[in-house]
Amino acid sequence: MPRPLGELEDSVMTRVWKWNRPVTVREVLEDLQQERSIAYTTVMTVLDNLHQKGWVRREAEGRAYRYEAVSTRAAYSAALMNEAWTQSDNPAAALVAFFGMMSPEQREALRDAVRMVQGPEETPAPQNPTPENPAAEKPAVENAAVENPVGENPAAAEGETGR
C-alpha cells in the first residue's frame, strides 16, 4: 500500500502525471520555480526518493536521468482510498460518511463508476419456442399461467379469501 506522498513529493508527482512522459529534473525544477524557490538538488533528491519508493522508473540519458510514473494518479488515489477504508473498524459507516462529504457532481461520478464496474444489465428477453429451438424459454405470461392456474386465488393459498 502506498503511503501518502509528502507535499513536495506530491508536487513533483503531479507534474510527472500531468505531462505523462519521461521528464528530467530540470523540467520539473523549472515548472516548480514558477510557484516557489527551490534548488535543483532538492528536486533531484525528491525524484531519487520517488524512484527508491517505486513511484517512478528512470532511464539514464547522458549524465542525467529521465523519470516516468510507474502508475497513474487515479491508481494512487484508489490505493489510498482503499487503504483508508480497510483500516476502518466500521467500513460501512466510513463509506456513508465519505459519501456524505461528496458534492452532487462527485456522487454522480461515483454512480457512473459503479455502472462501469458492474457493466450493462444482462437480462436477455425470453424467447418463444420455435421448431428450431424447442427448449427456448416460454414467455412470462405462459409461465405465470403454469405457476398460478386459472381460477386459483394466490391469497387463498395462504388461507385468505381475497374478498
Side-chain angles (χ1 to χ4, degrees), residues 26-119:
R26 176 77 50 206
E27 289 173 306
V28 175
L29 171 71
E30 289 173 358
D31 200 58
L32 283 171
Q33 285 179 332
Q34 294 176 23
E35 298 173 5
R36 62 168 82 160
S37 175
I38 191 166
Y40 181 94
T41 54
T42 301
V43 176
M44 185 174 64
T45 299
V46 168
L47 279 164
D48 185 59
N49 289 343
L50 289 167
H51 176 257
Q52 297 299 320
K53 292 178 179 182
W55 285 105
V56 294
R57 64 178 144 263
R58 66 184 181 193
E59 191 171 313
E61 185 177 277
R63 292 180 19 198
Y65 289 107
R66 283 202 173 266
Y67 296 86
E68 185 173 18
V70 170
S71 68
T72 64
R73 176 132 208 164
Y76 166 72
S77 297
L80 288 178
M81 288 187 284
N82 186 59
E83 176 68 12
W85 184 56
T86 58
Q87 294 298 316
S88 173
D89 60 346
N90 188 341
L95 281 174
V96 169
F98 179 62
F99 296 156
M101 295 175 193
M102 293 177 145
S103 68
E105 295 80 18
Q106 290 170 320
R107 284 192 295 275
E108 186 58 35
L110 176 63
R111 283 186 207 92
D112 291 344
V114 168
R115 282 191 288 270
M116 286 192 302
V117 169
Q118 289 178 337

